[in-house]
């Protein structure tokens, strides 16, 4: 049996007396003959509140009957329901804001709304447009605010779907439609909760525009949410400015300048590190004695064999007759100058195979895993170290 939805005709009703018409055995899910609780649907989350003092954790629309999910079992059949007003009113503001914004994007730019979702932080409408310019956003938000300030009363009517005219978005529903109308602005078939007068949604703020599925998705906030977000944004920006010792007006330019300087400094740091690693490779070579066969053999250990360690090794073998065995915590590197007569890649690959490990490289430069310290001993022997 469908539940009578009291919020259909009065979104401001916060309390009710009702009768339990069905309940689960555990008493945690009940259906009532009438309810003030909005179930999750159409992008709007459910209401919360209490039934005889028991907290409602969810409200679900099950084919017209509204299921109230409770935090603890309910045994009575006569109940008094109380809606959490703060959450309800917030949802009314966001939802009505959606009607207005959708109507404004349609009116100003001919852009339709494809979907709507009310989130914990901000609500979103996905628009049938690839992108929106900052000018379009500003034009839309200022126009919407102007319309809201005129404060038209919002009208709810029930009309036969076959007779209903002038809907912003065509509906496939049949039978009686609940139509929410902001006179002169919007007429939509909608089952949600809305404010009674449009100015109640103010202030209105578009937070961000993202690209989703190739469409522009607009995030917005209305009413107290918008006030709270604006206040917290301002506080964060003020703290940022204070920490940088500048004013609110100059903080953006300063942050951009700092980011650029940081990127340049990072580039410079990488260049210096590479230069230092190249020098270290040459120093290592110079500090290695020459054997009777004219080869300079060297064993070196590094914490990890990273790009800088590889640069050092390459620098070592850029000189004649260099043979370097480098090992890190979990990898090993063999580098041999082109004139050394040793094929680093073939030698390392063969040694690794004995230990069931993998790796390899070119005749002058090879790297692999270090499965066992005995591998180092094996390589030392082969390289004459
Ligand atoms: Zn609506």
């Amino acid at each position: 049996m469908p539940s009578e939805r009291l919020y259909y005709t009065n979104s401001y009703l916060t309390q009710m007396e009702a009768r339990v018409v069905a309940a689960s055995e555990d008493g945690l899910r009940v259906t009532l003959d009438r309810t003030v609780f909005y179930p999750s649907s159409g992008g709007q989350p459910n209401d919360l509140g209490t039934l005889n003092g028991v907290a409602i954790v969810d409200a679900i629309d099950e084919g017209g009957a509204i299921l109230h999910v409770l935090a603890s079992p309910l045994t009575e059949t006569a109940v008094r329901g109380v809606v959490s007003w703060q959450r309800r009113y917030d949802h009314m503001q966001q939802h009505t804001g959606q009607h207005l914004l959708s109507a404004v994007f349609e009116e100003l730019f001919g852009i339709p709304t494809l979907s709507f979702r009310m989130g914990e932080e901000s609500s979103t409408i996905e628009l049938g447009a690839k992108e929106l310019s900052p000018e379009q956003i500003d034009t839309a938000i200022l126009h919407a605010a102007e319309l809201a300030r005129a404060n038209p009363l919002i009208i709810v009517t029930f009309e036969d779907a076959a007779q209903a005219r002038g809907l912003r978005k065509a509906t496939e529903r049949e039978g009686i439609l609940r139509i929410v109308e902001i006179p002169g602005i919007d007429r939509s078939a909608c089952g949600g909760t809305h404010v009674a007068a449009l100015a109640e949604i103010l202030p209105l703020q578009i937070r961000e525009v993202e690209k989703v599925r190739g469409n522009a998705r607009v995030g917005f906030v209305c009413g107290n949410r918008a006030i709270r977000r604006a206040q917290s944004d301002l506080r964060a920006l003020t703290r940022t400015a204070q920490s940088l010792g500048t004013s609110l007006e100059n903080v953006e330019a300063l942050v951009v300048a700092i980011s650029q300087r940081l990127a340049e400094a990072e580039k410079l740091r990488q260049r210096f590190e590479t230069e230092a690693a190249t020098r270290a490779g040459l120093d290592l070579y110079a500090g290695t004695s020459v054997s009777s066969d004219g080869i300079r053999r060297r064993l070196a250990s590094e914490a990890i064999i990273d790009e800088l360690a590889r640069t050092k090794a390459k620098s070592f073998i850029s000189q004649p007759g260099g043979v370097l065995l480098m090992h890190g915590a979990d990898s090993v590197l063999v580098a041999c100058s082109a004139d050394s007569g040793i094929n680093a890649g073939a030698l390392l690959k063969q040694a690794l195979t004995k230990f069931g490990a993998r790796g390899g490289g070119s005749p002058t430069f090879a790297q692999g895993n270090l499965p066992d310290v005995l591998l180092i001993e094996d390589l030392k022997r082969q390289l004459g170290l």
Side-chain angles (χ1 to χ4, degrees):
M1 192 180 82
S3 318
E4 186 192 344
R5 300 169 191 239
L6 300 169
Y7 59 83
Y8 263 5
T9 45
N10 184 2
S11 293
Y12 292 79
L13 188 66
T14 60
Q15 303 190 10
M16 59 151 189
E17 306 289 338
R19 201 166 46 80
V20 174
V21 293
S24 61
E25 266 185 37
D26 59 10
L28 290 173
R29 299 159 88 88
V30 299
T31 310
L32 310 173
D33 59 342
R34 59 213 292 260
T35 189
V36 281
F37 295 97
Y38 181 83
S40 299
S41 55
Q44 179 179 336
N46 60 284
D47 283 326
L48 292 175
T50 56
L51 284 184
N52 285 0
V54 176
I56 291 179
V57 294
D58 200 3
I60 305 162
D61 190 344
E62 285 203 330
I66 296 171
L67 203 63
H68 304 75
V69 183
L70 299 157
S72 56
L74 189 78
T75 47
E76 302 90 341
T77 52
V79 294
R80 178 179 170 76
V82 181
V83 160
S84 296
W85 173 244
Q86 209 178 341
R87 177 179 166 96
R88 155 66 67 83
Y89 191 58
D90 172 58
H91 290 176
M92 285 158 62
Q93 289 176 313
Q94 313 312 316
H95 195 142
T96 312
Q98 178 262 313
H99 282 243
L100 176 61
L101 279 177
S102 291
V104 163
F105 278 110
E106 184 107 38
E107 182 205 332
L108 292 179
F109 313 116
I111 299 174
T113 292
L114 306 178
S115 67
F116 162 54
R117 207 184 78 83
M118 197 185 293
E120 290 290 328
E121 294 295 319
S122 65
S123 303
T124 54
I125 46 173
E126 189 176 329
L127 297 176
K130 283 193 176 61
E131 54 197 350
L132 293 172
S133 67
E135 293 74 25
Q136 280 179 305
I137 297 292
D138 288 354
T139 305
I141 199 78
L142 286 169
H143 185 54
E146 193 179 322
L147 293 173
R149 274 194 300 274
N151 202 20
L153 297 182
I154 294 163
I155 303 161
V156 174
T157 55
F158 295 85
E159 300 175 29
D160 191 328
Q163 314 289 322
R165 296 281 173 271
L167 295 178
R168 178 165 47 79
K169 197 173 176 181
T171 176
E172 287 171 5
R173 281 171 178 256
E174 291 177 350
I176 298 297
L177 295 179
R178 179 176 185 255
I179 293 173
V180 177
E181 181 172 354
I182 310 172
I185 298 171
D186 184 55
R187 223 172 107 78
S188 293
C190 183
T193 55
H194 310 83
V195 296
L198 196 56
E200 290 180 66
I201 70 160
L202 291 172
L204 177 65
Q205 186 187 34
I206 288 180
R207 298 284 306 175
E208 71 269 311
V209 181
E210 288 177 296
K211 201 163 190 175
V212 178
R213 293 176 284 272
N215 294 315
R217 191 173 70 182
V218 174
F220 66 93
V221 283
C222 300
N224 284 343
R225 262 195 213 209
I227 295 173
R228 277 196 295 270
R229 290 299 292 272
Q231 288 298 106
S232 77
D233 287 353
L234 184 61
R235 273 196 291 272
L237 197 61
T238 303
R239 281 196 299 270
T240 307
Q242 280 167 351
S243 73
L244 294 172
T246 189
S247 66
L248 219 51
E249 289 68 32
N250 294 331
V251 69
E252 187 186 2
L254 184 59
V255 168
V256 169
I258 289 171
S259 303
Q260 280 170 354
R261 283 214 297 271
L262 213 57
E264 283 162 17
E266 176 61 15
K267 250 191 245 168
L268 208 60
R269 189 185 65 81
Q270 285 177 1
R271 213 183 79 201
F272 286 156
E273 273 188 355
T274 304
E275 281 176 13
T278 303
R279 250 193 330 271
L282 294 176
D283 288 349
L284 193 66
Y285 179 86
T288 303
S289 54
V290 190
S291 302
S292 55
D293 56 0
I295 301 289
R296 294 184 198 225
R297 295 178 174 82
R298 188 75 191 218
L299 177 68
S301 82
E302 298 281 340
I304 48 162
I305 300 182
D306 57 5
E307 205 45 52
L308 288 175
R310 281 190 286 275
T311 300
K312 185 174 165 182
K314 280 176 188 161
S315 171
F316 185 94
I317 59 159
S318 67
Q319 303 303 305
V323 169
L324 177 68
L325 173 60
M326 184 184 274
H327 61 89
D330 55 7
S331 63
V332 63
L333 186 153
V334 178
C336 303
S337 303
D339 64 356
S340 67
I342 301 171
N343 185 325
L347 187 134
L348 180 63
K349 193 169 183 181
Q350 201 182 26
L352 284 167
T353 308
K354 282 187 251 174
F355 289 88
R358 297 197 323 180
S362 73
T364 57
F365 202 83
Q367 196 174 341
N369 295 329
L370 179 54
D372 193 322
V373 283
L374 289 176
L375 173 67
I376 303 290
E377 296 307 315
D378 189 56
L379 288 169
K380 274 164 74 176
R381 231 181 357 262
Q382 293 202 54
L383 293 168
L385 272 156

